[in-house]
Amino acid sequence: MNDWPDRRTGDRSERYGRGSASSQPESARAMPHIQRRPSQPRTPQRPQVPPQSQGYDDRHQDGGYQGGYGNSPEPGYDSGYNTGQVYGSGSGGSDGRGGGRRGGGDGGYVQGRPAPDWRRRIKLGALTLVVVVLAVSISTYFWADSKLKREVDLAKVIERPESGDGTNYLIVGSDSREGMSAEEKKRLRTGSAEGKRTDSMMILHDGSNGPTLISLPRDSNVEIPTFVGSESGKKFQGTGRQVKLNAAYAEDGPELLVRTVEFNTGLHIDHYVEIGFGGFAKIVDAIGGVELDIPKAFKDKKSGADFQAGKQTLNGEQSLAFVRTRYAFAGSDLDRTKNQQKFLAALASQTATPSTIINPFKLYPTMGAGLDTLIVDKDMSLWALGNMFFAMKGVTGGDGTSMNMPISGSTGGNLVWDKAKVKQLVEQLNNDEKVTVKGN
């Protein structure tokens, strides 16, 4: 009779301990053991959640366990199987790298590496761009402002007419060779004369009825009034002398020129702008040339002009020859002033473009070329200079007007202004009205 507990095998005679009759040492004897039923390999399965209309119960109806392990354990049996919870990792599963995955579905993120905040990045990028643009704009403004040569003191001009509506600029192109090498003088055919003279003079009125550009022929017959010397400070009494307009500039510079123009027209000049030969040519080259439509071919040995009819792009040397030519035309100086107006309007239009303004490789050379030789009055701001430039651009478009000062005849080679028309023209400019007066 086997009186061992259930599930044990072996005989009483095989017991070990003292008094054993076995010839084998105790360490070599087989230990009695409990024979367990062979169990099937455990395959973890997710608990199946019944439809929501049914309650979930992990026990069988008779108190057993619905674990899906083949043989149901007895009631109260704990198999030790973890149903999916990872201890110490919070909710959800593991990402396989020791970090818990927060949130559910694909919208979660790995702990310690949050998803990028694109709104914040866009705001920071926009703010950075604004700061950079402001910094560049401010630095460019002060750089350009420092290059202006504010050498003309309009406070020295006496007995000035009252200001009207709008802004009046006296724009002067001089034959100054300042800063030009001997090679440049030869190439541009400027000669080597000492000092400087006016080669062109224009009044630009910028008002609410569109810009108006009025050329003043340098051979215009004018009276030199009483004036105060710009250098000596001495007062020179007017004697009624009649001279060509460019003689006023040659006698005492920009201040006497402004005084003479105001005296003979009655128009108040707000700002003075002058540019020499060298600066003019460099501006054109800096923007890559100026496209111009020349209606008729012409040549001029003195200026070096040699142009065919039709559209063409002029470089700095060609542009200077174009605006200086006078002997190739029947109207001489009057025809030259028309070409000057045409060219300056084209230059302004092709310079004030996005491809130049927002391109630093074109903007800075262009501004540098012009500002290095530009002479202005002491009250001229960079803002006022910019307004003048854009007003020049609008001369040939929209409500813009370009004309010569009305001429009634000539005397001794000097061009005589039509006084009645000049008076009407000045009244319209002072009142900032649409100009209806026609010039030559």
Side-chain angles (χ1 to χ4, degrees):
M1 177 179 180
N2 186 357
D3 53 1
W4 286 87
D6 190 20
R7 299 172 186 165
R8 294 190 182 183
T9 61
D11 193 83
R12 280 176 178 264
S13 61
E14 295 178 357
R15 288 182 304 171
Y16 62 90
R18 294 182 180 180
S20 173
S22 173
S23 61
Q24 295 181 358
E26 290 183 359
S27 61
R29 296 175 188 169
M31 293 292 292
H33 63 280
I34 299 175
Q35 184 176 6
R36 297 181 181 271
R37 296 191 183 111
S39 60
Q40 297 180 356
R42 295 181 178 179
T43 304
Q45 298 181 359
R46 296 180 180 270
Q48 297 183 355
V49 181
Q52 293 185 3
S53 60
Q54 301 177 8
Y56 180 74
D57 190 357
D58 63 352
R59 294 172 300 173
H60 202 271
Q61 292 180 356
D62 58 358
Y65 175 74
Q66 292 182 343
Y69 284 96
N71 298 323
S72 299
E74 297 177 357
Y77 173 74
D78 182 7
S79 67
Y81 174 69
N82 190 308
T83 59
Q85 180 180 5
V86 179
Y87 296 101
S89 64
S91 62
S94 172
D95 63 352
R97 294 176 292 183
R101 183 176 297 277
R102 297 182 179 178
D106 295 335
Y109 62 89
V110 177
Q111 184 177 5
R113 193 175 67 184
D117 187 346
W118 289 108
R119 284 187 178 181
R120 184 169 179 269
R121 290 187 179 186
I122 292 173
K123 288 180 179 179
L124 287 175
L127 180 61
T128 301
L129 179 61
V130 170
V131 171
V132 170
V133 170
L134 285 176
V136 172
S137 300
I138 293 173
S139 61
T140 298
Y141 181 90
F142 284 104
W143 168 77
D145 188 74
S146 67
K147 282 184 167 291
L148 286 178
K149 296 179 180 180
R150 296 181 173 92
E151 299 176 359
V152 179
D153 188 0
L154 295 183
K156 294 179 180 179
V157 180
I158 63 174
E159 301 176 12
R160 308 191 66 186
E162 294 184 1
S163 297
D165 295 331
T167 305
N168 300 314
Y169 301 86
L170 180 59
I171 303 172
V172 175
S174 75
D175 63 359
S176 172
R177 285 90 172 164
E178 182 179 356
M180 296 176 64
S181 65
E183 177 61 29
E184 288 175 327
K185 292 176 183 178
K186 181 179 179 181
R187 178 172 59 85
L188 298 176
R189 297 173 180 262
T190 63
S192 300
E194 296 296 328
K196 58 182 181 179
R197 286 151 292 278
T198 55
D199 211 52
S200 61
M201 291 159 285
M202 304 178 186
I203 294 174
L204 175 64
H205 174 81
D206 184 20
S208 58
N209 279 290
T212 301
L213 184 63
I214 308 163
S215 288
L216 310 175
R218 70 176 190 172
D219 292 340
S220 298
N221 189 79
V222 294
E223 178 184 340
I224 298 294
T226 300
F227 70 97
V228 174
S230 58
E231 297 295 333
S232 66
K234 180 180 178 181
K235 189 172 185 179
F236 296 87
Q237 194 66 38
T239 60
R241 279 188 301 141
Q242 303 289 315
V243 298
K244 292 182 178 181
L245 182 58
N246 64 340
Y249 182 93
E251 186 172 334
D252 197 48
E255 287 85 0
L256 179 55
L257 178 61
V258 171
R259 169 70 174 135
T260 302
V261 169
E262 290 186 340
F263 177 81
N264 285 270
T265 63
L267 187 68
H268 181 90
I269 300 299
D270 298 291
H271 292 295
Y272 178 90
V273 181
E274 177 186 326
I275 189 168
F277 283 161
F280 180 83
K282 288 178 181 178
I283 290 176
V284 175
D285 287 334
I287 65 171
V290 174
E291 185 180 62
L292 208 62
D293 189 2
I294 300 177
K296 185 178 180 181
F298 65 90
K299 290 184 179 181
D300 181 27
K301 291 183 178 180
K302 290 190 176 182
S303 67
D306 186 2
F307 298 103
Q308 299 298 319
K311 288 186 177 181
Q312 50 204 288
T313 300
L314 279 57
N315 61 24
E317 179 182 349
Q318 294 170 323
S319 299
L320 192 56
F322 180 82
V323 299
R324 293 182 63 207
T325 299
R326 62 182 299 194
Y327 297 106
F329 308 123
S332 187
D333 201 36
L334 291 177
D335 286 342
R336 177 171 68 167
T337 56
K338 293 176 182 178
N339 280 344
Q340 290 171 347
Q341 292 176 349
K342 180 178 181 179
F343 183 87
L344 289 178
L347 174 64
S349 297
Q350 294 173 42
T351 304
T353 61
S355 62
T356 298
I357 296 175
I358 67 177
N359 183 355
F361 297 102
K362 291 186 70 174
L363 176 64
Y364 285 93
T366 302
M367 293 182 67
L371 295 175
D372 281 341
T373 58
L374 202 65
I375 297 174
V376 299
D377 64 272
K378 293 183 179 296
D379 294 327
M380 173 71 84
S381 67
L382 197 62
W383 180 262
L385 186 63
N387 287 339
M388 183 204 80
F389 185 77
F390 281 96
M392 181 73 74
K393 179 182 178 180
V395 167
T396 57
D399 296 326
T401 302
S402 61
M403 58 184 290
N404 278 322
M405 187 64 80
I407 304 296
S408 61
S410 64
T411 175
N414 295 356
L415 298 174
V416 179
W417 292 352
D418 188 322
K419 293 184 178 180
K421 287 185 177 181
V422 170
K423 181 179 179 181
Q424 183 183 2
L425 173 63
V426 171
E427 287 178 354
Q428 290 177 343
L429 294 177
N430 278 332
N431 296 327
D432 202 15
E433 299 172 352
K434 182 64 177 177
V435 173
T436 60
V437 178
K438 303 297 181 181
N440 296 80

